Amino acid sequence: MTATQLERARAGEITPAMERVAERENRDPVFVREQVANGRAIIPNNHQHDALDPMIIGREFATKINANIGASETTSDADEELEKLHTAIQYGADTVMDLSTGGDLESIRRTHIEHSPVPIGTVPIYEAANRVPAPPDLTTEDLLDVIDTQARQGVDYMTIHAGIRRDHLPLTDGRTTGIVSRGGSILAQWMEAHEAENPLYAHIESVLAILREHDVAISLGDGLRPGSLADAGDEAQLAELRTLGELTEIARDHGVQVMVEGPGHVPLDQIAPHVEEQREICDGAPFYLLGPIVTDIAPGYDHITSAIGATEAARAGAAMLCYVTPKEHLGLPDEEDVREGLAAYKIAAHAADVASDQPGARDWDDALSAARYEFDWGRQFDLALDPKRARAYHDETLPDEQQTDARYCSMCGADFCAMRIDQDARGDGLDALETGRPLANSAAAAVNVPPTGTHDTAGLPEVPEILCEHGVESVVAEDD
Ligand code: SF4
Protein backbone atom coordinates (compact mmCIF):
# COMPACT_ATOMS: atom_id res chain seq x y z
CA MET A 1 0.00 0.00 0.00
CA THR A 2 1.41 3.41 -0.99
CA ALA A 3 2.02 5.68 1.99
CA THR A 4 0.21 9.01 2.33
CA GLN A 5 1.84 12.39 1.81
CA LEU A 6 1.78 12.78 5.61
CA GLU A 7 3.55 9.49 6.21
CA ARG A 8 6.13 10.17 3.52
CA ALA A 9 6.79 13.66 4.89
CA ARG A 10 7.26 12.25 8.37
CA ALA A 11 9.75 9.74 6.92
CA GLY A 12 11.77 12.67 5.55
CA GLU A 13 10.82 12.20 1.89
CA ILE A 14 10.20 15.15 -0.41
CA THR A 15 7.61 13.75 -2.81
CA PRO A 16 7.02 14.96 -6.40
CA ALA A 17 3.79 16.58 -5.13
CA MET A 18 5.78 18.52 -2.52
CA GLU A 19 8.29 19.60 -5.19
CA ARG A 20 5.47 20.84 -7.39
CA VAL A 21 3.79 22.70 -4.54
CA ALA A 22 7.10 24.35 -3.60
CA GLU A 23 7.53 25.50 -7.20
CA ARG A 24 4.03 26.95 -7.37
CA GLU A 25 4.22 28.70 -3.99
CA ASN A 26 7.80 29.93 -4.39
CA ARG A 27 8.86 28.01 -1.27
CA ASP A 28 11.66 25.69 -0.26
CA PRO A 29 10.62 22.02 -0.70
CA VAL A 30 12.08 21.28 2.73
CA PHE A 31 9.70 23.82 4.26
CA VAL A 32 6.77 22.22 2.43
CA ARG A 33 7.76 18.78 3.73
CA GLU A 34 8.02 20.09 7.30
CA GLN A 35 4.60 21.74 7.12
CA VAL A 36 3.01 18.52 5.86
CA ALA A 37 4.91 16.36 8.37
CA ASN A 38 3.69 18.36 11.36
CA GLY A 39 0.11 18.53 10.09
CA ARG A 40 0.10 22.31 9.54
CA ALA A 41 -0.59 21.80 5.84
CA ILE A 42 -2.12 19.14 3.60
CA ILE A 43 -1.70 18.15 -0.04
CA PRO A 44 -5.00 16.51 -1.08
CA ASN A 45 -3.79 14.01 -3.64
CA ASN A 46 -5.69 10.76 -4.10
CA HIS A 47 -3.47 8.13 -5.74
CA GLN A 48 -6.16 7.62 -8.42
CA HIS A 49 -6.54 11.30 -9.44
CA ASP A 50 -4.21 11.35 -12.46
CA ALA A 51 -5.25 14.78 -13.78
CA LEU A 52 -4.37 16.52 -10.51
CA ASP A 53 -1.89 19.37 -10.37
CA PRO A 54 -0.94 19.21 -6.68
CA MET A 55 -1.70 22.17 -4.41
CA ILE A 56 -1.29 22.79 -0.71
CA ILE A 57 -3.65 24.03 2.01
CA GLY A 58 -2.06 25.58 5.09
CA ARG A 59 -1.84 28.94 6.85
CA GLU A 60 1.78 29.47 5.77
CA PHE A 61 0.78 29.30 2.10
CA ALA A 62 -1.42 31.39 -0.19
CA THR A 63 -5.04 31.32 0.96
CA LYS A 64 -7.10 28.95 -1.15
CA ILE A 65 -10.74 29.09 -2.16
CA ASN A 66 -13.23 26.33 -2.82
CA ALA A 67 -16.28 26.35 -5.07
CA ASN A 68 -19.21 23.99 -4.60
CA ILE A 69 -20.82 22.50 -7.67
CA GLY A 70 -22.98 19.44 -8.30
CA ALA A 71 -26.12 18.08 -9.82
CA SER A 72 -29.48 18.11 -8.11
CA GLU A 73 -32.66 16.20 -8.92
CA THR A 74 -33.66 18.94 -11.34
CA THR A 75 -30.26 19.62 -12.94
CA SER A 76 -28.27 16.48 -13.52
CA ASP A 77 -26.76 16.65 -16.97
CA ALA A 78 -23.11 15.48 -17.17
CA ASP A 79 -22.13 18.09 -19.80
CA GLU A 80 -23.66 20.80 -17.66
CA GLU A 81 -21.63 19.55 -14.71
CA LEU A 82 -18.43 19.67 -16.75
CA GLU A 83 -19.30 23.23 -17.75
CA LYS A 84 -19.73 24.16 -14.07
CA LEU A 85 -16.33 22.64 -13.28
CA HIS A 86 -14.73 24.77 -15.99
CA THR A 87 -16.51 27.90 -14.82
CA ALA A 88 -15.33 27.34 -11.26
CA ILE A 89 -11.72 26.82 -12.31
CA GLN A 90 -11.81 29.66 -14.82
CA TYR A 91 -12.76 32.09 -12.09
CA GLY A 92 -10.11 30.87 -9.70
CA ALA A 93 -11.33 27.95 -7.57
CA ASP A 94 -8.39 26.10 -6.00
CA THR A 95 -10.54 23.11 -5.11
CA VAL A 96 -14.03 22.06 -6.15
CA MET A 97 -16.52 20.16 -4.03
CA ASP A 98 -18.95 17.94 -5.91
CA LEU A 99 -22.07 18.12 -3.75
CA SER A 100 -24.32 16.29 -6.18
CA THR A 101 -27.54 14.92 -4.73
CA GLY A 102 -29.28 13.89 -7.95
CA GLY A 103 -28.60 12.12 -11.24
CA ASP A 104 -25.99 9.43 -11.80
CA LEU A 105 -23.72 10.42 -8.90
CA GLU A 106 -20.88 8.00 -9.69
CA SER A 107 -20.74 8.95 -13.35
CA ILE A 108 -20.80 12.70 -12.63
CA ARG A 109 -18.05 12.32 -10.05
CA ARG A 110 -15.94 10.24 -12.42
CA THR A 111 -16.26 12.96 -15.06
CA HIS A 112 -15.20 15.62 -12.58
CA ILE A 113 -12.17 13.64 -11.42
CA GLU A 114 -11.07 12.75 -14.95
CA HIS A 115 -11.08 16.39 -16.04
CA SER A 116 -10.10 18.31 -12.95
CA PRO A 117 -6.56 19.59 -12.29
CA VAL A 118 -7.79 20.80 -8.87
CA PRO A 119 -8.60 18.54 -5.93
CA ILE A 120 -12.17 17.23 -5.82
CA GLY A 121 -13.91 17.11 -2.46
CA THR A 122 -17.19 15.42 -1.52
CA VAL A 123 -19.57 14.97 1.41
CA PRO A 124 -20.21 11.20 1.30
CA ILE A 125 -23.25 11.32 3.58
CA TYR A 126 -25.17 13.05 0.78
CA GLU A 127 -24.80 10.04 -1.48
CA ALA A 128 -25.48 7.65 1.40
CA ALA A 129 -28.69 9.52 2.26
CA ASN A 130 -29.64 9.40 -1.40
CA ARG A 131 -29.62 5.59 -1.29
CA VAL A 132 -32.26 5.24 1.46
CA PRO A 133 -35.86 6.45 1.88
CA ALA A 134 -35.10 8.47 5.05
CA PRO A 135 -31.99 9.28 7.18
CA PRO A 136 -32.86 6.80 9.97
CA ASP A 137 -32.67 3.99 7.38
CA LEU A 138 -28.94 4.57 6.91
CA THR A 139 -26.56 1.91 8.20
CA THR A 140 -22.88 2.10 9.09
CA GLU A 141 -22.24 -0.26 6.17
CA ASP A 142 -23.95 2.20 3.79
CA LEU A 143 -21.70 5.02 5.00
CA LEU A 144 -18.49 2.99 4.77
CA ASP A 145 -19.46 1.64 1.35
CA VAL A 146 -20.00 5.15 -0.07
CA ILE A 147 -16.73 6.40 1.43
CA ASP A 148 -14.89 3.40 -0.05
CA THR A 149 -16.49 3.83 -3.49
CA GLN A 150 -15.65 7.53 -3.65
CA ALA A 151 -12.10 6.95 -2.39
CA ARG A 152 -11.53 4.34 -5.11
CA GLN A 153 -12.82 6.75 -7.74
CA GLY A 154 -10.17 9.34 -6.83
CA VAL A 155 -11.84 11.89 -4.52
CA ASP A 156 -9.07 13.93 -2.88
CA TYR A 157 -10.78 15.05 0.32
CA MET A 158 -14.02 14.23 2.09
CA THR A 159 -16.10 16.13 4.60
CA ILE A 160 -16.84 13.68 7.40
CA HIS A 161 -19.25 14.94 10.07
CA ALA A 162 -17.78 12.79 12.84
CA GLY A 163 -17.65 15.60 15.41
CA ILE A 164 -21.37 15.95 16.07
CA ARG A 165 -22.17 13.64 18.99
CA ARG A 166 -25.35 12.52 20.67
CA ASP A 167 -24.47 14.45 23.84
CA HIS A 168 -24.24 17.67 21.82
CA LEU A 169 -27.80 17.62 20.51
CA PRO A 170 -29.56 19.04 23.62
CA LEU A 171 -27.14 22.00 23.42
CA THR A 172 -28.89 23.13 20.23
CA ASP A 173 -32.36 23.35 21.82
CA GLY A 174 -32.35 27.09 22.48
CA ARG A 175 -30.85 28.06 19.14
CA THR A 176 -32.37 30.66 16.86
CA THR A 177 -31.66 28.61 13.72
CA GLY A 178 -31.18 25.07 15.04
CA ILE A 179 -28.90 22.76 13.01
CA VAL A 180 -28.18 24.23 9.55
CA SER A 181 -25.58 21.77 8.23
CA ARG A 182 -27.14 19.20 5.88
CA GLY A 183 -24.80 16.47 7.15
CA GLY A 184 -25.34 17.57 10.74
CA SER A 185 -29.13 17.49 10.45
CA ILE A 186 -29.11 14.02 8.83
CA LEU A 187 -26.90 12.60 11.58
CA ALA A 188 -28.88 14.31 14.35
CA GLN A 189 -32.07 12.73 13.02
CA TRP A 190 -30.32 9.35 12.86
CA MET A 191 -28.99 9.60 16.45
CA GLU A 192 -32.40 10.59 17.82
CA ALA A 193 -34.19 7.82 15.94
CA HIS A 194 -31.73 5.13 17.06
CA GLU A 195 -30.84 6.61 20.46
CA ALA A 196 -27.25 5.83 19.50
CA GLU A 197 -23.92 7.59 18.91
CA ASN A 198 -23.02 9.14 15.53
CA PRO A 199 -21.82 6.16 13.44
CA LEU A 200 -19.10 8.27 11.83
CA TYR A 201 -17.68 8.98 15.30
CA ALA A 202 -18.22 5.45 16.59
CA HIS A 203 -16.53 3.92 13.53
CA ILE A 204 -13.93 6.58 12.82
CA GLU A 205 -11.14 4.01 12.71
CA SER A 206 -12.84 2.16 9.84
CA VAL A 207 -13.36 5.47 8.00
CA LEU A 208 -9.70 6.42 8.48
CA ALA A 209 -8.48 3.02 7.24
CA ILE A 210 -10.24 3.64 3.90
CA LEU A 211 -9.00 7.22 3.63
CA ARG A 212 -5.43 6.24 4.42
CA GLU A 213 -5.38 3.52 1.75
CA HIS A 214 -6.07 6.06 -1.02
CA ASP A 215 -4.53 9.14 0.64
CA VAL A 216 -7.86 10.94 0.88
CA ALA A 217 -7.59 13.90 3.26
CA ILE A 218 -10.28 14.13 5.92
CA SER A 219 -12.06 17.45 6.25
CA LEU A 220 -13.67 17.30 9.67
CA GLY A 221 -17.13 18.77 9.13
CA ASP A 222 -18.82 21.15 11.55
CA GLY A 223 -22.33 19.74 11.69
CA LEU A 224 -23.23 22.13 14.50
CA ARG A 225 -21.96 25.32 12.92
CA PRO A 226 -24.11 28.37 13.73
CA GLY A 227 -26.65 29.41 11.11
CA SER A 228 -27.05 32.92 12.50
CA LEU A 229 -25.12 35.50 14.51
CA ALA A 230 -27.39 34.67 17.45
CA ASP A 231 -25.98 31.13 17.61
CA ALA A 232 -22.31 31.97 16.95
CA GLY A 233 -19.86 30.64 19.50
CA ASP A 234 -22.52 28.80 21.52
CA GLU A 235 -21.82 25.73 23.61
CA ALA A 236 -23.01 23.34 20.88
CA GLN A 237 -20.45 24.72 18.41
CA LEU A 238 -17.64 24.66 20.95
CA ALA A 239 -18.46 21.15 22.16
CA GLU A 240 -18.20 19.91 18.59
CA LEU A 241 -14.94 21.81 18.06
CA ARG A 242 -13.41 20.04 21.05
CA THR A 243 -14.40 16.70 19.48
CA LEU A 244 -12.84 17.83 16.20
CA GLY A 245 -9.60 18.44 18.13
CA GLU A 246 -9.72 14.89 19.44
CA LEU A 247 -10.43 13.52 15.95
CA THR A 248 -7.57 15.55 14.44
CA GLU A 249 -5.13 13.68 16.63
CA ILE A 250 -6.69 10.30 15.86
CA ALA A 251 -6.59 10.93 12.09
CA ARG A 252 -2.96 12.00 12.19
CA ASP A 253 -2.11 8.89 14.22
CA HIS A 254 -3.58 6.87 11.33
CA GLY A 255 -1.42 8.69 8.78
CA VAL A 256 -4.39 10.61 7.31
CA GLN A 257 -4.05 14.27 6.34
CA VAL A 258 -6.52 16.47 8.23
CA MET A 259 -8.17 19.85 7.91
CA VAL A 260 -10.99 21.21 10.05
CA GLU A 261 -14.13 23.01 8.87
CA GLY A 262 -15.56 26.11 10.51
CA PRO A 263 -18.56 28.44 10.45
CA GLY A 264 -20.74 29.90 8.99
CA HIS A 265 -22.21 33.03 10.64
CA VAL A 266 -19.90 34.91 13.04
CA PRO A 267 -19.84 38.59 14.12
CA LEU A 268 -16.74 40.30 12.75
CA ASP A 269 -15.13 40.85 16.16
CA GLN A 270 -15.41 37.14 17.05
CA ILE A 271 -13.72 35.76 13.92
CA ALA A 272 -10.03 36.19 14.81
CA PRO A 273 -10.51 34.83 18.37
CA HIS A 274 -12.36 31.84 16.91
CA VAL A 275 -9.59 31.10 14.40
CA GLU A 276 -7.10 31.24 17.26
CA GLU A 277 -9.27 28.93 19.36
CA GLN A 278 -9.47 26.40 16.51
CA ARG A 279 -5.71 26.50 16.10
CA GLU A 280 -5.16 25.70 19.77
CA ILE A 281 -7.81 22.99 20.02
CA CYS A 282 -6.91 21.32 16.70
CA ASP A 283 -3.12 21.65 17.04
CA GLY A 284 -2.66 23.95 14.03
CA ALA A 285 -4.58 21.79 11.53
CA PRO A 286 -5.54 23.87 8.45
CA PHE A 287 -8.83 25.70 9.04
CA TYR A 288 -11.37 25.69 6.20
CA LEU A 289 -14.18 28.17 6.66
CA LEU A 290 -17.53 28.71 5.00
CA GLY A 291 -17.52 32.51 4.84
CA PRO A 292 -18.19 33.44 7.59
CA ILE A 293 -21.14 35.77 7.05
CA VAL A 294 -20.78 38.76 9.40
CA THR A 295 -24.35 40.09 9.30
CA ASP A 296 -27.64 38.33 8.64
CA ILE A 297 -29.48 41.32 7.16
CA ALA A 298 -28.49 41.09 3.49
CA PRO A 299 -29.95 38.12 1.60
CA GLY A 300 -28.99 38.60 -2.04
CA TYR A 301 -25.62 40.07 -1.02
CA ASP A 302 -24.17 37.27 1.06
CA HIS A 303 -21.14 36.97 -1.24
CA ILE A 304 -20.26 40.41 0.22
CA THR A 305 -21.30 39.82 3.85
CA SER A 306 -19.26 36.61 3.83
CA ALA A 307 -16.26 37.95 1.90
CA ILE A 308 -15.80 40.51 4.68
CA GLY A 309 -15.71 37.67 7.19
CA ALA A 310 -13.53 35.53 4.93
CA THR A 311 -10.93 38.28 4.65
CA GLU A 312 -10.77 38.60 8.42
CA ALA A 313 -10.62 34.83 8.84
CA ALA A 314 -7.79 34.47 6.31
CA ARG A 315 -5.89 37.35 7.86
CA ALA A 316 -6.22 35.59 11.22
CA GLY A 317 -4.88 32.32 9.77
CA ALA A 318 -7.62 30.41 7.95
CA ALA A 319 -6.09 28.30 5.17
CA MET A 320 -9.03 27.83 2.81
CA LEU A 321 -12.32 29.67 2.25
CA CYS A 322 -15.46 28.10 0.85
CA TYR A 323 -17.11 30.65 -1.39
CA VAL A 324 -20.64 31.94 -0.90
CA THR A 325 -22.70 33.23 -3.82
CA PRO A 326 -25.35 35.99 -3.89
CA LYS A 327 -27.96 33.21 -3.95
CA GLU A 328 -26.98 31.89 -0.49
CA HIS A 329 -30.11 31.13 1.56
CA LEU A 330 -32.25 31.90 -1.52
CA GLY A 331 -31.72 29.40 -4.34
CA LEU A 332 -29.38 27.37 -6.55
CA PRO A 333 -26.61 29.60 -7.97
CA ASP A 334 -26.30 30.00 -11.75
CA GLU A 335 -23.10 30.70 -13.68
CA GLU A 336 -23.20 34.45 -13.02
CA ASP A 337 -23.64 33.81 -9.29
CA VAL A 338 -20.62 31.49 -9.36
CA ARG A 339 -18.59 34.23 -11.05
CA GLU A 340 -19.67 36.84 -8.46
CA GLY A 341 -18.98 34.50 -5.56
CA LEU A 342 -15.54 33.45 -6.78
CA ALA A 343 -14.51 37.03 -7.55
CA ALA A 344 -15.52 38.09 -4.03
CA TYR A 345 -13.50 35.24 -2.55
CA LYS A 346 -10.40 35.74 -4.72
CA ILE A 347 -10.41 39.32 -3.44
CA ALA A 348 -10.82 38.18 0.17
CA ALA A 349 -8.02 35.60 -0.11
CA HIS A 350 -5.64 37.92 -1.92
CA ALA A 351 -6.25 40.89 0.39
CA ALA A 352 -5.42 38.66 3.35
CA ASP A 353 -2.30 37.30 1.61
CA VAL A 354 -1.05 40.84 0.98
CA ALA A 355 -1.71 41.78 4.63
CA SER A 356 0.08 38.69 5.92
CA ASP A 357 3.00 39.23 3.52
CA GLN A 358 2.75 35.96 1.58
CA PRO A 359 5.79 35.75 -0.72
CA GLY A 360 5.11 37.68 -3.92
CA ALA A 361 1.44 38.37 -3.19
CA ARG A 362 1.80 42.16 -3.48
CA ASP A 363 3.60 41.86 -6.83
CA TRP A 364 0.26 41.46 -8.58
CA ASP A 365 -1.07 44.71 -7.07
CA ASP A 366 2.13 46.57 -7.92
CA ALA A 367 2.13 45.34 -11.52
CA LEU A 368 -1.48 46.40 -12.03
CA SER A 369 -0.89 49.80 -10.37
CA ALA A 370 2.10 50.43 -12.64
CA ALA A 371 0.04 49.53 -15.72
CA ARG A 372 -2.71 51.87 -14.51
CA TYR A 373 -0.33 54.82 -14.05
CA GLU A 374 1.21 54.12 -17.45
CA PHE A 375 -2.24 54.11 -19.08
CA ASP A 376 -1.41 50.65 -20.37
CA TRP A 377 -5.06 49.67 -20.63
CA GLY A 378 -4.44 46.30 -22.26
CA ARG A 379 -2.10 45.15 -19.53
CA GLN A 380 -4.41 46.55 -16.87
CA PHE A 381 -7.24 44.47 -18.28
CA ASP A 382 -5.07 41.36 -18.57
CA LEU A 383 -3.96 41.64 -14.96
CA ALA A 384 -7.42 42.41 -13.62
CA LEU A 385 -9.09 39.79 -11.46
CA ASP A 386 -11.90 39.68 -14.01
CA PRO A 387 -10.43 40.90 -17.33
CA LYS A 388 -13.71 40.60 -19.21
CA ARG A 389 -15.56 42.82 -16.77
CA ALA A 390 -12.78 45.43 -16.52
CA ARG A 391 -12.62 45.74 -20.31
CA ALA A 392 -16.41 45.83 -20.68
CA TYR A 393 -16.83 48.58 -18.08
CA HIS A 394 -14.11 50.68 -19.70
CA ASP A 395 -15.51 50.21 -23.19
CA GLU A 396 -19.06 51.03 -22.10
CA THR A 397 -18.23 54.74 -22.23
CA LEU A 398 -15.02 54.83 -24.31
CA PRO A 399 -15.60 52.10 -26.85
CA ASP A 400 -13.34 53.27 -29.72
CA GLU A 401 -10.19 51.25 -30.32
CA GLN A 402 -8.10 54.45 -30.19
CA GLN A 403 -9.41 55.17 -26.70
CA THR A 404 -7.35 52.29 -25.37
CA ASP A 405 -4.34 54.57 -25.89
CA ALA A 406 -6.04 57.47 -24.13
CA ARG A 407 -4.41 59.06 -21.09
CA TYR A 408 -7.75 59.27 -19.30
CA CYS A 409 -11.00 57.43 -18.89
CA SER A 410 -14.58 58.65 -18.71
CA MET A 411 -14.58 58.91 -14.93
CA CYS A 412 -12.81 62.30 -14.74
CA GLY A 413 -12.52 62.95 -18.48
CA ALA A 414 -9.54 64.20 -20.52
CA ASP A 415 -9.25 67.65 -18.91
CA PHE A 416 -9.49 66.49 -15.32
CA CYS A 417 -7.58 63.19 -15.38
CA ALA A 418 -5.46 63.51 -12.23
CA MET A 419 -2.82 60.99 -13.32
CA ARG A 420 -2.37 62.71 -16.69
CA ILE A 421 -2.11 66.12 -14.99
CA ASP A 422 0.39 64.72 -12.46
CA GLN A 423 2.57 63.18 -15.18
CA ASP A 424 2.53 66.40 -17.23
CA ALA A 425 3.40 68.46 -14.15
CA ARG A 426 6.39 66.26 -13.46
CA GLY A 427 7.58 67.09 -16.93
CA ASP A 428 9.23 63.80 -17.78
CA GLY A 429 6.06 62.08 -18.93
CA LEU A 430 5.82 58.39 -19.45
CA ASP A 431 9.43 57.89 -20.50
CA ALA A 432 10.67 57.98 -16.92
CA LEU A 433 8.16 55.47 -15.66
CA GLU A 434 9.12 51.96 -14.69
CA THR A 435 7.56 49.48 -17.04
CA GLY A 436 6.88 45.77 -17.15
CA ARG A 437 7.24 44.79 -13.54
CA PRO A 438 8.26 41.13 -13.56
CA LEU A 439 5.80 38.55 -12.32
CA ALA A 440 7.38 35.42 -13.69
CA ASN A 441 9.30 34.58 -10.50
CA SER A 442 6.54 35.57 -8.16
CA ALA A 443 4.21 33.31 -6.28
CA ALA A 444 1.56 35.80 -7.32
CA ALA A 445 2.02 34.64 -10.89
CA ALA A 446 2.11 30.98 -10.04
CA VAL A 447 -0.65 31.04 -7.48
CA ASN A 448 -2.91 33.96 -8.06
CA VAL A 449 -2.78 35.41 -11.55
CA PRO A 450 -6.32 35.54 -12.87
CA PRO A 451 -8.52 34.14 -14.07
CA THR A 452 -7.28 30.58 -13.87
CA GLY A 453 -6.53 30.39 -10.17
CA THR A 454 -3.61 28.31 -9.12
CA HIS A 455 -3.74 25.70 -11.81
CA ASP A 456 -2.26 24.81 -15.12
CA THR A 457 -5.07 25.13 -17.64
CA ALA A 458 -3.47 22.53 -19.91
CA GLY A 459 -5.11 19.88 -17.75
CA LEU A 460 -8.56 21.02 -18.81
CA PRO A 461 -9.62 19.61 -22.16
CA GLU A 462 -13.11 19.73 -23.66
CA VAL A 463 -13.91 23.45 -23.32
CA PRO A 464 -10.61 25.09 -24.28
CA GLU A 465 -12.04 28.32 -25.64
CA ILE A 466 -13.22 29.30 -22.15
CA LEU A 467 -9.84 28.68 -20.63
CA CYS A 468 -7.51 30.06 -23.25
CA GLU A 469 -8.94 33.56 -23.42
CA HIS A 470 -6.74 34.88 -20.63
CA GLY A 471 -4.43 31.97 -19.79
CA VAL A 472 -1.74 32.29 -17.14
CA GLU A 473 1.00 31.63 -19.67
CA SER A 474 0.02 34.58 -21.83
CA VAL A 475 0.13 36.95 -18.87
CA VAL A 476 3.43 35.66 -17.55
CA ALA A 477 5.02 35.56 -20.99
CA GLU A 478 4.71 39.33 -21.34
CA ASP A 479 7.11 39.73 -18.45
CA ASP A 480 9.79 37.27 -19.53
S1 SF4 B 1 -9.69 59.93 -15.73
FE1 SF4 B 1 -9.65 59.76 -13.49
S2 SF4 B 1 -10.24 57.62 -13.09
FE2 SF4 B 1 -9.74 57.78 -15.28
S3 SF4 B 1 -7.57 57.24 -15.40
FE3 SF4 B 1 -7.59 59.46 -15.15
S4 SF4 B 1 -7.47 59.77 -12.92
FE4 SF4 B 1 -7.99 57.63 -13.22
Side-chain angles (χ1 to χ4, degrees):
M1 186 187 301
T2 310
T4 65
Q5 294 289 327
L6 173 58
E7 291 168 324
R8 293 166 76 180
R10 281 177 178 157
E13 181 186 355
I14 294 173
T15 65
M18 293 173 206
E19 294 273 12
R20 173 62 181 144
V21 164
E23 178 188 29
R24 298 179 63 185
E25 300 263 351
N26 209 7
R27 295 300 189 108
D28 186 335
V30 173
F31 178 72
V32 171
R33 187 200 64 76
E34 287 168 356
Q35 288 286 305
V36 174
N38 64 25
R40 303 297 189 269
I42 63 169
I43 301 176
N45 190 3
N46 188 310
H47 304 317
Q48 273 72 245
H49 190 172
D50 295 333
L52 185 74
D53 186 7
M55 52 81 77
I56 193 163
I57 302 168
R59 65 176 288 143
E60 295 297 328
F61 302 94
T63 307
K64 305 304 188 298
I65 63 175
N66 171 71
N68 293 334
I69 60 172
S72 67
E73 286 165 34
T74 48
T75 59
S76 56
D77 178 75
D79 288 342
E80 200 179 319
E81 285 309 304
L82 196 57
E83 197 76 47
K84 284 186 199 169
L85 174 70
H86 283 83
T87 300
I89 295 172
Q90 181 194 9
Y91 288 111
D94 298 297
T95 77
V96 169
M97 291 196 81
D98 174 357
L99 303 186
S100 295
T101 54
D104 185 343
L105 300 182
E106 284 196 34
S107 163
I108 290 168
R109 196 164 44 243
R110 189 176 307 110
T111 302
H112 283 155
I113 293 166
E114 272 174 15
H115 292 93
S116 179
V118 307
I120 296 290
T122 59
V123 186
I125 198 165
Y126 294 174
E127 182 176 355
N130 212 43
R131 291 184 181 182
V132 294
D137 299 323
L138 274 172
T139 64
T140 303
E141 289 66 36
D142 290 333
L143 290 166
L144 293 176
D145 183 57
V146 169
I147 292 168
D148 186 65
T149 301
Q150 296 191 0
R152 288 180 191 283
Q153 274 192 301
V155 169
D156 300 290
Y157 68 94
M158 293 185 196
T159 294
I160 303 290
H161 295 92
I164 172 172
R165 300 193 58 190
R166 196 177 168 204
D167 287 351
H168 300 158
L169 300 185
L171 301 174
T172 65
D173 286 347
R175 279 185 157 187
T176 299
T177 45
I179 297 175
V180 297
S181 151
R182 270 186 277 181
S185 64
I186 291 168
L187 287 162
Q189 192 182 353
W190 190 95
M191 286 187 269
E192 277 167 356
H194 293 273
E195 298 183 350
E197 185 56 273
N198 176 354
L200 292 172
Y201 178 85
H203 298 277
I204 191 65
E205 307 234 333
S206 302
V207 172
L208 292 171
I210 297 169
L211 301 185
R212 186 197 162 275
E213 182 181 350
H214 304 277
D215 200 0
V216 179
I218 189 168
S219 186
L220 290 168
D222 55 337
L224 293 178
R225 66 171 172 268
S228 56
L229 297 194
D231 297 340
D234 69 358
E235 188 46 41
Q237 184 195 344
L238 294 179
E240 183 184 43
L241 182 60
R242 286 191 283 273
T243 305
L244 298 183
E246 174 197 330
L247 292 167
T248 297
E249 195 179 335
I250 294 171
R252 286 176 178 166
D253 287 348
H254 284 71
V256 174
Q257 302 187 86
V258 194
M259 63 179 165
V260 174
E261 297 185 13
H265 293 242
V266 184
L268 189 57
D269 62 303
Q270 292 180 27
I271 291 173
H274 183 63
V275 172
E276 187 57 36
E277 193 171 32
Q278 181 274 347
R279 184 166 35 179
E280 278 175 26
I281 292 174
C282 300
D283 189 31
F287 202 17
Y288 169 27
L289 281 103
L290 175 64
I293 284 169
V294 295
T295 171
D296 295 332
I297 64 164
Y301 295 92
D302 277 333
H303 60 314
I304 297 173
T305 62
S306 64
I308 293 168
T311 310
E312 175 72 351
R315 194 197 57 77
M320 186 156 80
L321 309 168
C322 184
Y323 89 149
V324 172
T325 77
K327 288 274 177 61
E328 184 74 11
H329 305 112
L330 301 172
L332 196 65
D334 62 19
E335 186 173 339
E336 187 58 22
D337 299 320
V338 170
R339 175 183 182 171
E340 295 285 340
L342 280 166
Y345 273 70
K346 286 302 279 186
I347 294 166
H350 181 69
D353 287 349
V354 170
S356 57
D357 212 14
Q358 286 291 334
R362 245 276 303 281
D363 293 0
W364 182 5
D365 301 71
D366 294 348
L368 195 144
S369 295
R372 177 174 289 152
Y373 194 68
E374 292 156 17
F375 294 106
D376 186 344
W377 295 102
R379 182 162 169 77
Q380 191 179 159
F381 299 148
D382 278 347
L383 286 171
L385 178 76
D386 187 340
K388 268 188 187 170
R389 176 167 294 185
R391 189 180 294 277
Y393 280 8
H394 173 270
D395 292 356
E396 236 171 55
T397 45
L398 289 178
D400 296 344
E401 194 58 37
Q402 69 205 41
Q403 300 288 17
T404 55
D405 294 329
R407 293 175 65 204
Y408 65 94
C409 74
S410 66
M411 184 169 172
C412 320
D415 291 343
F416 291 94
C417 176
M419 292 199 302
R420 196 266 307 153
I421 294 169
D422 179 60
Q423 288 171 14
D424 289 349
R426 290 173 192 273
D428 44 11
L430 284 173
D431 291 345
L433 296 173
E434 185 182 350
T435 58
R437 300 216 177 176
L439 274 175
N441 295 322
S442 158
V447 177
N448 286 319
V449 167
T452 44
T454 70
H455 294 277
D456 180 2
T457 56
L460 285 164
E462 307 282 334
V463 198
E465 69 276 9
I466 292 178
L467 298 154
C468 293
E469 280 181 356
H470 300 285
V472 168
E473 279 125 348
S474 67
V475 174
V476 174
E478 288 177 13
D479 302 304
D480 287 343

